[in-house]
Amino acid sequence: MVERVEIIGVGFEGFRPSITDLSTRELMYEAASKAYHDAGVDPRKDIGSFISCTEDLWEGWSIADEMVPDQLGGAGRPVCTVPADGIVGLGHAIMHIRSGVADVVAVEAHSKVADVLDKTAVENLALDPVFHRATGANSDVLAGLEMSSFMEETGTKRGELSQVVRSAKRKAMRNGRASYGATLELEEIDSSEPLALPLRRLDRPEFAEAAVVIVLASGSWAKRHRKDGVFIDGLSWRSATPWFEAGGVKTARYMQDSYRSVMKQSGLRDLSQFDVLEVDDSYSFKLVQHLMSMGVSKVGVMGMLKEGTALNPSGGSLGTGHLIEATGSHKVLECVLQVRGTAGGNQAKGVGRAFASSWRGNPTGAGAAIALSVGN
Amino acid sequence: MSSRIRKYPGTEMDLKEIEAGKFLFSSYETVLRYSFTSGVAISRFLEGLKEGQLWARECDKCGRILIPPRMYCEEDFRSTDRWVRVRDTGKVNTYSISYVNNDASRRRTPVVVSVIEIDGASKGMGILHLLGEVDPRKVTVGMKVEAVWKPKKERRGAITDIVYFRPRR
Ligand SMILES: [Zn+2]
């Protein structure tokens, strides 16, 4: 029997298009201070390992490990960076706990992406140099290609994707952490600026900045210290081959496989058993694709968009803003606040179980999923 | 090649062949541009440089005065408490006589790069800068130095508002 791992504290700062007053380090410090206060831990004594999810090219700082320790309370302690989404960072924390490296681990992820003046230049460095960079196909073009094929294969209509965008923007209007709330008519979305058709401006999130720190502890440590945590019932991530052209877009395999692994770990049957879902919507069609990859029918997806707050109550990435490596951490944060009943304007009723998923963006087929619960 | 090994197995490539396109490579160039938010601590520090002043932050718990300033103490993990103006003098903590530029190209005349412990800040707290008006052979650890500032109208709120540190007069 492997030891249960719990989230015993969360803290965040920012959630604005551009944070002009705080440096990256100061932003991280603010989020970490709040998370440690929430968890009731002293990082200098209680935390055994610190993980920061960060990608050097987004930081503009190679070997970004070196700029991490001080502001997390990790100076002179075991610190590492994981160049991946925040949910993958949580996976590393679970490994640290279960392997006995540490009883308590802090996982930080942030976006200070407004500091990157040419974001496309960084995104382009993720593309294959022989095939993609040479043809000038940037990540939005790849999204347009996938979107086109997805709509064809699944019979998804432009209007349905506009409903995805409208729902996200509307929920964002009630979420203090969302930077891109709006009340939009479907026609405005249908006809927003073309990027790489069928992809339009409103199908992709704008960027936002934030830091999120999540504190995890082993079940036995939490019990000894009388912490009421949120249980991690399952966590998984998968990476597909790097060949974008590998075909088959009806199902996102990284999402399907991550989801199945999480359900197996959790002993659960399907998504209907969760009270809240925070599913990756890095593009409007990706939300539909990800849900379909997790066993929801297209009709089911469209129904979820109409039903209150259970699907992406935060407003998702479309409403909150894309937070690069903090994207998954933001979704987990929302889930933790939801099960605690402190999520704010979009609080769902009686949340006992929540599910979050993330995708690392084009051209990757890398995704992660996590299942959380309280009171069982 | 070495004295023991005259030829490695495999096919040797020389620069002429590469330039002639005998082997296929894919090359790519990019320009990455960033504008780092200075934040609360460093903004105030840079503002101070414009005035010819050095500012540090003090932590009440450990009593240390930190320069460069930060809004948190990494030892105590708490917010630092107040701004403290320190002097623009100090002593050489360490130095190197450098014959390379930061793009690794060679220099004919060396520069002396130094960490200067600033007077008024805690022991070991300092900033990296250049030494000037000194024979490199005469630099010693512990040497007392002072900042040489650019004229006020030329200061930009950058560490280069200090031209260099020179032996204290
Ligand atoms: Zn201190």
Side-chain angles (χ1 to χ4, degrees):
Chain A
M1 180 72 185
V2 289
E3 185 159 35
R4 205 164 191 182
V5 175
E6 307 179 17
I7 293 175
I8 59 165
V10 290
F12 61 89
E13 181 60 66
F15 286 102
R16 299 196 290 277
S18 176
I19 299 162
T20 53
D21 52 340
L22 301 176
S23 66
T24 304
R25 286 167 163 161
E26 289 167 352
L27 177 69
M28 291 164 74
Y29 171 74
E30 295 297 331
S33 301
K34 290 174 181 175
Y36 303 154
H37 175 78
D38 187 39
V41 296
D42 175 352
R44 306 300 288 154
K45 296 193 189 93
D46 302 322
I47 298 181
S49 171
F50 301 81
I51 297 171
S52 178
C53 305
T54 172
E55 171 62 64
D56 291 2
L57 289 167
W58 284 127
E59 299 297 334
W61 197 308
S62 55
I63 322 178
D65 302 52
E66 64 181 310
M67 60 83 82
V68 162
D70 291 12
Q71 63 271 26
L72 295 183
R77 310 287 302 285
V79 177
C80 69
T81 55
V82 173
D85 176 76
I87 296 178
V88 178
L90 295 176
H92 283 255
I94 291 172
M95 293 193 285
H96 285 198
I97 290 170
R98 288 194 176 150
S99 61
V101 169
D103 283 322
V104 183
V105 181
V107 178
E108 188 275 347
H110 61 269
S111 160
K112 201 73 179 67
V113 72
D115 283 6
V116 184
L117 297 182
D118 189 348
K119 296 166 191 59
T120 306
V122 171
E123 289 176 343
N124 285 348
L125 285 169
L127 303 176
D128 183 281
V130 174
F131 296 101
H132 300 157
R133 293 190 211 174
T135 50
N138 74 12
S139 62
D140 284 343
V141 176
L142 298 187
L145 290 168
E146 188 181 359
M147 184 175 180
S148 177
S149 172
F150 177 78
M151 291 171 78
E152 177 73 29
E153 274 192 47
T154 59
T156 301
K157 301 280 178 294
R158 171 68 256 177
E160 291 174 317
L161 297 176
S162 293
Q163 284 181 50
V164 169
V165 176
R166 184 172 68 173
S167 166
K169 297 278 188 184
R170 188 176 284 179
K171 283 170 182 159
M173 291 294 270
R174 294 190 299 268
N175 178 10
R177 289 174 296 281
S179 296
Y180 298 100
T183 310
L184 297 171
E185 298 299 330
L186 289 175
E187 298 72 43
E188 290 176 81
I189 305 165
D190 290 347
S191 61
S192 73
E193 183 193 355
L195 293 179
L197 288 173
L199 187 78
R200 292 177 179 275
R201 173 72 62 194
L202 288 171
D203 288 314
R204 80 163 277 178
E206 300 292 330
F207 287 103
E209 297 195 325
V212 179
V213 173
I214 298 171
V215 185
L216 295 84
S218 66
S220 54
W221 190 94
K223 197 171 178 188
R224 252 190 345 268
H225 293 82
R226 299 170 193 279
K227 307 286 182 197
D228 264 337
V230 174
F231 300 118
I232 298 178
D233 298 322
L235 187 150
S236 188
W237 69 92
R238 293 287 189 278
S239 295
T241 72
W243 299 106
F244 175 81
E245 298 85 343
V249 299
K250 193 170 174 184
T251 300
R253 202 173 143 200
Y254 56 87
M255 201 77 270
Q256 184 177 55
D257 292 349
S258 299
Y259 162 73
R260 284 180 178 167
S261 170
V262 163
M263 297 306 271
K264 195 173 167 199
Q265 291 170 42
S266 314
L268 295 172
R269 191 182 60 249
D270 61 52
L271 284 182
S272 70
Q273 292 173 280
F274 295 96
D275 304 302
V276 155
L277 306 174
E278 278 286 332
V279 176
D280 184 274
D281 59 340
S282 293
Y283 292 103
S284 60
F285 74 95
K286 279 299 215 181
L287 178 73
V288 183
Q289 183 200 45
H290 288 149
L291 283 165
M292 289 177 74
S293 304
M294 297 188 285
V296 183
S297 69
K298 239 275 291 310
V299 175
V301 174
M302 299 320 291
M304 283 172 151
L305 293 175
K306 295 194 180 83
E307 274 169 27
T309 50
L311 175 63
N312 288 8
S314 69
S317 296
L318 289 165
T320 305
H322 200 274
L323 297 162
I324 53 171
E325 315 305 16
T327 296
S329 295
H330 159 243
K331 293 179 195 305
V332 172
L333 168 71
E334 179 71 22
C335 288
V336 169
L337 298 179
Q338 286 282 348
V339 296
R340 286 178 174 181
T342 58
N346 290 319
Q347 176 65 50
K349 287 202 179 74
V351 181
R353 289 189 186 281
F355 174 93
S357 74
S358 66
W359 167 57
R360 203 150 185 247
N362 271 328
T364 78
I370 182 172
L372 302 164
S373 70
V374 279
N376 62 328
Chain B
M1 303 306 118
S2 71
S3 56
R4 286 191 303 116
I5 301 168
R6 298 199 173 268
K7 187 168 175 18
Y8 287 110
T11 306
E12 289 179 15
M13 300 157 76
D14 71 26
L15 187 61
K16 271 192 206 120
E17 291 175 314
I18 292 168
E19 284 170 350
K22 184 172 173 189
F23 307 102
L24 295 177
F25 294 88
S26 50
S27 59
Y28 185 74
E29 283 177 22
T30 190
V31 177
L32 300 177
R33 294 186 302 124
Y34 303 89
S35 173
F36 300 113
T37 312
S38 302
V40 181
I42 299 302
S43 295
R44 173 77 188 263
F45 178 76
L46 297 176
E47 283 292 330
L49 293 176
K50 279 195 208 170
E51 305 304 318
Q53 300 172 354
L54 294 180
W55 287 90
R57 286 288 291 184
E58 184 170 13
C59 171
D60 278 349
K61 188 158 182 199
C62 62
R64 292 186 308 157
I65 295 173
L66 314 173
I67 192 167
R70 37 265 198 204
M71 301 311 289
Y72 45 83
C73 171
E74 79 280 8
E75 289 299 339
D76 300 310
F77 198 72
R78 63 191 289 280
S79 299
T80 48
D81 297 278
R82 75 188 59 78
W83 288 99
V84 178
R85 187 174 164 194
V86 291
R87 297 170 66 184
D88 66 348
T89 59
K91 62 175 195 271
V92 171
N93 170 293
T94 181
Y95 68 97
S96 174
I97 301 165
S98 170
Y99 285 84
V100 285
N101 294 308
N102 72 354
D103 63 357
S105 59
R106 305 276 318 164
R107 297 180 63 89
R108 202 169 288 275
T109 51
V111 285
V112 186
V113 184
S114 176
V115 171
I116 294 129
E117 279 186 39
I118 298 297
D119 290 334
S122 293
K123 188 167 166 45
M125 289 287 161
I127 55 178
L128 189 144
H129 219 294
L130 302 172
L131 297 183
E133 298 179 40
V134 63
D135 180 343
R137 290 168 301 185
K138 300 226 169 109
V139 178
T140 57
V141 168
M143 174 186 265
K144 288 184 160 65
V145 293
E146 62 189 17
V148 175
W149 295 87
K150 280 183 181 167
K152 191 166 181 187
K153 64 177 188 319
E154 290 175 26
R155 293 182 206 147
R156 295 284 174 269
I159 194 67
T160 46
D161 288 351
I162 297 173
V163 188
Y164 49 70
F165 284 79
R166 71 182 175 204
R168 212 167 148 183
R169 292 179 174 166

